[in-house]
Amino acid sequence: MNQVSLLVLLFSGLVSAAAPHRPLFAAPHRPSPPESADICIYGGTSAGVIAACAAKRAGKSVILLEPGGRAGGLTTGGLGYTDIGNKYAISGMARDFYRRVGARYGRFESWVFEPHVALEVFHSYLREAGIQVRYHRRLVSVKKDGNRIHSITVEDSRQPGAGGYKTIVAKEFIDCSYEGDMLAKAGVRYFVGREANSVYNETYNGSQRRDKHQFPDGVDPYKIPGDPASGVLWGIHQGPPDTPGAGDSRVQSYNFRICLTNDPANRIPITAPADYDPGRYELLLRLLAKRPVRDLNGIMKIDLMPNRKTDINNNGGFSTDMIGMNYDYPDGDYRRREAIVKAHESYTKGFLYFVGHDPRMPESLRSEMLQWGYPKDEYPESGHWTPQLYVREARRMVGAYVMTQANCEGRAAVDDGIGMAAYTMDSHNCRREIVDGMVKNEGDVQIGGFGPYPVSYRAIVPKKGECSNLLVPVCLSASHIAYGSIRMEPVFMVLGQSAAIAASQAIDTRTAVQDIDVKRLQRQLRDHPLADNSTPEILVDNDDTDGIMKHGAWTRVTTGGYGASLFVHPKEDKSEASVTFRPTIVKPGFYRIYCYQSGLAGVTPVVVNGVKQTLRAPAGNAEQQSSGEWVSLGRYMLTKGDKNTVMITTSGATGDVAADAVLFVPDFK
């Protein structure tokens, strides 16, 4: 066929273009030369930023790729009310991040913050490390040489296609994406969904219908109540309920962590999305008819941020979670994922508008909702709405070791821990279904009651035969329910740092990531927690038997403290008791000393190197998602050795006394 004939056919609509997405007579594409680095990190999430900076501090060259246009992932994308579980579990550069955030608010540390503050802190890390993030670079392919990744190819997510392809060559690769795209394209085995309980001998995996975030009995699922022939309301699955504990490919629901403000000077009114459909929210009206609520917190979890802002999460049977609408996301192509994100955005904005404007909503809730709007000073680049969907779970690698419920509950222990987790085993609902003619949600699990536990190094590396130079600190190897405990942003940062130091060791020793010296890695993380050779802070916990001396009657309590436990002396016991904390000081000088307090006593006497002090319990802990916080005892000159002491005593106390942990932070300025 000659050129003229082809043009005639094209313009007559009889054939489509032979090369879609390319000009018909485009010049031959000349790929740009490959870029190279010691370590390539895919995903500029919180884990990705920390991993990149840790690798640079370890002396390695780094390329950090981010498919979107914003660093920090969910930590800068609205999740400002940090899920912790137990602050003891958060170490290294992750802990330093929350200290830097705290400094922005005049606090020692803060786990509650505005999105733009988190972004500024991450940018400060990147500037210090001299890292230029390659934004809008998403993965196209992975090229392997045997069981090693040789290079990856990425494209511009704004203008996809071969014309913008870039090749990255590196010695080690770290997948810090929420989706696990690199591990999947590298041929590493993974799992999507929920394993049956029988797979790992668990009890909270698989299909679960429990009482939290649930509909009360009697909520009718049909468009015309009582008439199945009328069809079901939006968002309800019509299939039969699953067998409890059965596995499936369903994924726990996603949502957005919503930043709103009630400051009139900073508030943009909430408007209806272009495809607004009030029919999507009919179930909310039926739920409220059966179970009325006093305020907005009954239908959405509103946690207050500084400067009159929020971090809003799901709460109740019908809320911000878009249940059952994300199953295609983990393995979906970029176009499908974008459609899912847009659908979630439309649903969520519509939900907020419906609550504030639909005349069928209770007037008190409408009035309260209208006090809130989008903040002018957040997300200006994306219309004041977060670009980050809360991808709670997508792919999960199946590595050499799989973290399970037994690890969370302390029934299985590992000796290669390179970070800790401490949150409850948490899964949001996966499906909305019909049970005995009523609407019910299925999939929510919230099981806690355990302390911090170690995450295995083997859980962040693939099996050696699959890939020997890839680390996966986000989509790590864990069962669905164990992942629900591990998948917290601070833990991802900890594991990101561990992955970066492990990758650096693999380069230095020319070994597979599976063969590095894990004991050496653990020492590096312990002795150089900031990866910059600075003098580390010293923690003496009440469970450190070599670092404390206990006198009198104390009760060991395993909930509500820093770490595994705290000692409590009740005010009813008038006997004198004390706990003396004795750090081992390697480098003498000035240290700032902090005592962890959970607000048990109004006044607690403390003696620091013979100097008496009065420790007052925190006035309140409303902004900290934890049972306590660090209270300053001041700045002291400490001598080398183990002769320095901090004694907590009951003599003169006005209430219950807690002896939990004491922190010594170098201040050599």
Side-chain angles (χ1 to χ4, degrees):
M1 182 180 294
N2 62 33
Q3 244 180 35
V4 173
S5 300
L6 177 59
L7 285 171
V8 170
L9 286 172
L10 281 171
F11 288 116
S12 66
L14 296 178
V15 299
S16 59
H21 310 299
R22 293 183 190 171
L24 185 61
F25 303 114
H29 169 60
R30 294 181 179 179
S32 57
E35 293 184 73
S36 63
D38 291 325
I39 301 174
C40 175
I41 298 168
Y42 184 69
T45 59
S46 59
V49 174
I50 294 298
C53 295
K56 281 299 292 288
R57 291 181 181 185
K60 300 297 180 279
S61 58
V62 175
I63 292 176
L64 174 59
L65 305 166
E66 164 52 35
R70 187 180 176 97
L74 200 60
T75 297
T76 65
L79 203 164
Y81 193 70
T82 308
D83 300 311
I84 310 169
N86 192 309
K87 294 177 184 177
Y88 180 87
I90 311 308
S91 57
M93 295 174 69
R95 182 188 294 161
D96 182 67
F97 170 82
Y98 295 101
R99 298 272 174 83
R100 293 193 186 197
V101 170
R104 300 297 180 101
Y105 294 114
R107 301 174 64 98
F108 174 58
E109 63 185 19
S110 183
W111 307 78
V112 175
F113 46 82
E114 301 157 273
H116 77 271
V117 170
L119 183 63
E120 290 167 1
V121 172
F122 277 131
H123 283 171
S124 72
Y125 278 105
L126 293 167
R127 283 194 303 270
E128 292 167 12
I131 295 173
Q132 295 286 333
V133 183
R134 271 75 159 179
Y135 290 109
H136 304 290
R137 293 292 179 266
R138 69 186 186 192
L139 190 62
V140 174
S141 62
V142 172
K143 180 181 178 181
K144 293 176 72 177
D145 183 3
N147 69 344
R148 292 183 60 83
I149 299 176
H150 172 267
S151 61
I152 64 172
T153 299
V154 296
E155 66 181 359
D156 189 328
S157 58
R158 298 163 300 182
Q159 296 179 316
Y165 282 179
K166 301 285 185 182
T167 299
I168 311 294
V169 178
K171 298 172 185 176
E172 304 292 331
F173 293 83
I174 305 177
D175 187 346
C176 288
S177 68
Y178 292 124
E179 295 82 9
D181 286 340
M182 185 180 287
L183 77 90
K185 289 185 182 295
V188 172
R189 184 183 168 203
Y190 64 88
F191 190 88
V192 173
R194 301 177 290 183
E195 300 92 347
N197 272 326
S198 58
V199 173
Y200 296 117
N201 192 29
E202 298 174 305
T203 56
Y204 300 120
N205 209 334
S207 179
Q208 299 280 333
R209 191 180 310 112
R210 305 173 71 85
D211 59 338
K212 299 291 192 303
H213 303 293
Q214 187 57 274
F215 281 84
D217 288 348
V219 177
D220 195 289
Y222 303 112
K223 292 179 180 179
I224 300 175
D227 182 8
S230 66
V232 299
L233 293 175
W234 181 90
I236 300 174
H237 176 76
Q238 297 189 66
D242 289 331
T243 302
D248 57 33
S249 59
R250 299 187 182 99
V251 181
Q252 64 172 305
S253 55
Y254 300 164
N255 72 346
F256 288 96
R257 296 295 284 258
I258 310 166
C259 184
L260 300 180
T261 181
N262 63 358
D263 179 0
N266 193 34
R267 184 177 62 200
I268 299 171
I270 294 170
T271 56
D275 60 349
Y276 176 65
D277 178 3
R280 291 180 174 182
Y281 312 104
E282 176 68 27
L283 271 177
L284 177 60
L285 297 173
R286 296 190 186 183
L287 171 61
L288 292 174
K290 290 288 184 180
R291 182 186 289 163
V293 299
R294 292 182 299 177
D295 54 33
L296 287 179
N297 278 290
I299 57 174
M300 59 183 87
K301 185 175 183 287
I302 304 176
D303 292 307
L304 300 180
M305 301 296 102
N307 297 314
R308 301 178 66 173
K309 294 177 186 172
T310 68
D311 170 1
I312 295 177
N313 198 4
N314 183 83
N315 190 38
F318 192 100
S319 186
T320 63
D321 279 359
M322 195 177 182
I323 299 172
M325 304 295 178
N326 61 341
Y327 300 158
D328 292 345
Y329 187 89
D331 277 325
D333 61 22
Y334 294 126
R335 183 173 297 179
R336 178 62 182 140
R337 285 183 185 169
E338 182 179 355
I340 291 171
V341 173
K342 290 294 185 185
H344 278 71
E345 180 179 339
S346 176
Y347 166 80
T348 310
K349 288 181 174 179
F351 175 82
L352 298 175
Y353 181 81
F354 181 89
V355 172
H357 293 84
D358 195 284
R360 296 170 294 173
M361 286 292 296
E363 184 178 358
S364 61
L365 298 184
R366 279 187 283 135
S367 298
E368 187 180 356
M369 188 72 240
L370 291 176
Q371 298 174 22
W372 297 96
Y374 304 123
K376 296 177 182 177
D377 61 346
E378 299 290 353
Y379 316 118
E381 73 284 0
S382 55
H384 308 283
W385 179 262
T386 175
Q388 180 61 63
L389 180 67
Y390 192 174
V391 179
R392 290 189 171 93
E393 185 174 4
R395 299 179 176 106
R396 302 189 308 278
M397 180 174 65
V398 181
Y401 187 89
V402 179
M403 300 289 294
T404 68
Q405 178 180 331
N407 295 99
C408 302
E409 295 177 334
R411 294 181 289 106
V414 298
D415 61 3
D416 62 343
I418 39 78
M420 303 192 81
Y423 202 71
T424 58
M425 290 181 287
D426 177 87
S427 172
H428 283 235
N429 281 304
C430 299
R431 184 168 72 156
R432 185 169 285 141
E433 57 191 8
I434 301 173
V435 180
D436 298 329
M438 301 178 291
V439 182
K440 293 293 176 181
N441 290 334
E442 182 276 312
D444 184 89
V445 178
Q446 299 176 56
I447 303 294
F450 46 83
Y453 59 91
V455 177
S456 171
Y457 174 71
R458 288 165 290 161
I460 70 167
V461 295
K463 295 177 180 178
K464 190 175 180 180
E466 294 178 346
C467 193
S468 62
N469 65 333
L470 173 67
L471 296 106
V472 185
V474 176
C475 295
L476 69 154
S477 179
S479 71
H480 159 70
I481 200 59
Y483 191 81
S485 171
I486 298 168
R487 63 170 181 84
M488 304 303 148
E489 289 287 291
V491 178
F492 286 157
M493 291 189 227
V494 171
L495 298 179
Q497 178 179 352
S498 300
I501 302 303
S504 300
Q505 187 188 132
I507 292 172
D508 293 341
T509 58
R510 298 184 179 183
T511 59
V513 294
Q514 294 84 359
D515 295 333
I516 69 161
D517 185 342
V518 178
K519 296 299 182 185
R520 177 187 166 195
L521 173 61
Q522 291 171 324
R523 290 193 300 271
Q524 285 181 281
L525 296 171
R526 180 196 65 204
D527 297 342
H528 304 286
L530 300 184
D532 62 358
N533 294 316
S534 61
T535 301
E537 61 190 36
I538 301 168
L539 173 72
V540 183
D541 188 67
N542 65 290
D543 285 322
D544 297 336
T545 54
D546 293 337
I548 69 161
M549 184 169 60
K550 185 170 61 169
H551 168 74
W554 294 89
T555 300
R556 186 174 183 268
V557 178
T558 56
T559 57
Y562 189 85
S565 76
L566 71 158
F567 295 148
V568 175
H569 184 93
K571 62 181 179 181
E572 293 79 14
D573 186 343
K574 303 303 181 183
S575 64
E576 289 196 11
S578 65
V579 176
T580 301
F581 296 79
R582 193 185 301 273
T584 298
I585 302 296
V586 176
K587 184 176 180 179
F590 281 100
Y591 287 76
R592 293 194 177 274
I593 304 178
Y594 297 85
C595 184
Y596 200 79
Q597 284 290 290
S598 302
L600 293 179
V603 175
T604 300
V606 179
V607 182
V608 181
N609 282 351
V611 179
K612 294 183 179 179
Q613 280 214 32
T614 298
L615 178 65
R616 297 187 180 276
N621 207 37
E623 287 195 343
Q624 306 300 311
Q625 188 168 184
S626 174
S627 58
E629 61 183 286
W630 294 109
V631 178
S632 175
L633 298 178
R635 185 171 183 259
Y636 293 85
M637 170 64 76
L638 301 184
T639 58
K640 187 175 182 178
D642 61 356
K643 303 302 182 184
N644 303 281
T645 60
V646 175
M647 181 175 70
I648 296 176
T649 176
T650 63
S651 179
T654 60
D656 294 343
V657 176
D660 193 352
V662 178
L663 185 65
F664 303 83
V665 180
D667 188 14
F668 300 150
K669 299 176 183 177

